[in-house]
Amino acid sequence: MQQCSQFLTGGAPLSARAKKRLRASKRQAVSVNAAFLPPPAWPGRVVVPEKFSLLGSTGSIGTQTLDIVAEHPERFEIVALAAGSNVDLLAEQIRQFKPKLVAIRDGSKVAQLREAIRDVQAQPEILVGDEGAVEVARHPDVDAVVTGIVGCAGLRPTVAAIEAGKDICLANKETLIAGGPFVLPLAEKHGVHILPADSEHSAIFQCLQGMPEGGMRRIILTASGGAFRDWPVEKLKTVRVADALKHPNWSMGKKITVDSATLMNKGLEVIEAHYLYGADYDNIEIVIHPQSIIHSMVETADSSVLAQLGWPDMRLPILYTMSWPERVLTSEQTWPRLDFFKMGDLTFRQPDHDKYPAMKVAYAAGRAGGTMTGVLSAANEQAVELFLQERIGYLDIMRVVEEREFVEAPSLEEIVHYDQWARRHVAEAVDSRNAVAA
């Protein structure tokens, strides 16, 4: 539970975001007293728009984040955006959300972007490349950063945001899986809250609200089982890319959908849970829950089990990171409420290690620590990309994911170095094997 204190307001110093809310509450109290009105039983709060930077604005997390901002403009404001190369979508986002600063990773498309927004009245500053993303992350006007860039590319801007004192709405797994030994001490140093934006860790985070230090006994991560949960192991050798992308419950990007099929996503979440909440690996369990209604659970010291439930919708955990510690009233039309009669039965299964060998590999890498977790994540990312390109088969993903090279307490430079090393290792191994086969 060492790291759990990051999520409690009594532990770390107040961030700029929390201080602003406190000032707003005090202003409201003064106005109420001046009018000689009796205080309500449950005082409300003055709504202060939160100002955000968004990394990965044209990806799945980014577009869902902007859906939330569009629905609640009185609560949230986008100050800066960073995107990859989707100029058309980025131009639409600039028109709608009017950011002050925009970064596009592909510098060759700056002229095309300027042409696409030439009639926008308030022209944003446009930067390029990784340095542009860093400037978006640490923009002086923002309170928090939503990190939706996939892979180790999101690590440097996240570190820049932490060093600038910005709270982190964390949707980038590599920040902790690869960078945990470096990032967590940095966040503590700068009094920054790291708020999880994926469904499972948001569920755990919500269950931990108000829990005393030492109150958590076990974390139970739920997994849908992915596209092949009902397939026999013998049939997996016939898997095609199209099969792996048919997730039964969630609408997600291609990489995370494949990770869900192999259950590597859950193995990586085990590592995240260790870093986020300080849980020992022996106290983190994975259970298959085909309905994806319970998003994860926490067992307390006295054996009670707390769970967070909801329809499979990534917007809810993103919204909670953006509004924490408050709750935002959502529309029943766009955010359907959980109906227990429509929900039906909730079932659970023990995961099959023959079908999902990624789990054992992830636990082993997590227990080793240091650079092992980052190497595992990078090797898997490279292998999944090769599978999506149809250069290797589905079962080859785990065959080419191999952990090597260990540094116990890596620096940021070492984290990036071993991330790149793992990707090269996987690509070279596949090329070598294909050359022999030819």
Side-chain angles (χ1 to χ4, degrees), residues 78-79 93-100 120 122:
I78 294 295
V79 174
Q93 294 173 346
I94 293 170
R95 290 178 183 280
Q96 181 173 2
F97 298 99
K98 302 175 175 58
K100 298 178 182 177
V120 173

Side-chain angles (χ1 to χ4, degrees), residues 164-217:
K166 315 298 182 183
D167 282 348
I168 305 298
C169 302
L170 184 65
N172 172 282
K173 291 182 182 297
E174 287 72 22
T175 295
L176 292 184
I177 292 168
F182 176 81
V183 168
L184 290 174
L186 189 68
E188 183 176 22
K189 174 183 175 181
H190 291 279
V192 165
H193 295 103
I194 298 180
L195 309 166
D198 65 347
S199 61
E200 293 80 8
H201 289 304
S202 176
I204 296 163
F205 180 44
Q206 292 179 59
C207 289
L208 288 176
Q209 297 304 296
M211 188 175 292
E213 198 79 16
M216 183 181 72
R217 186 176 192 172

Side-chain angles (χ1 to χ4, degrees), residues 17 72 92 94 116 136 145 212 263-264 273 289-290 292 339 344 364 381 410 415:
R17 184 184 184 194
H72 300 280
E92 290 178 18
I94 293 170
V136 165
V145 181
L263 224 66
M264 179 60 85
H289 170 49
S292 296
D339 186 323
E381 189 174 330
I415 291 166

Side-chain angles (χ1 to χ4, degrees), residues 118-165:
R118 69 184 186 281
D119 59 341
V120 173
Q121 186 172 6
Q123 288 282 313
E125 181 183 1
I126 299 176
L127 301 177
V128 299
D130 294 338
E131 289 306 313
V134 165
E135 294 306 318
V136 165
R138 65 186 181 193
H139 194 287
D141 293 347
V142 308
D143 304 304
V145 181
V146 180
T147 63
I149 295 178
V150 175
C152 209
L155 185 56
R156 287 189 185 276
T158 302
V159 167
I162 292 172
E163 290 175 336

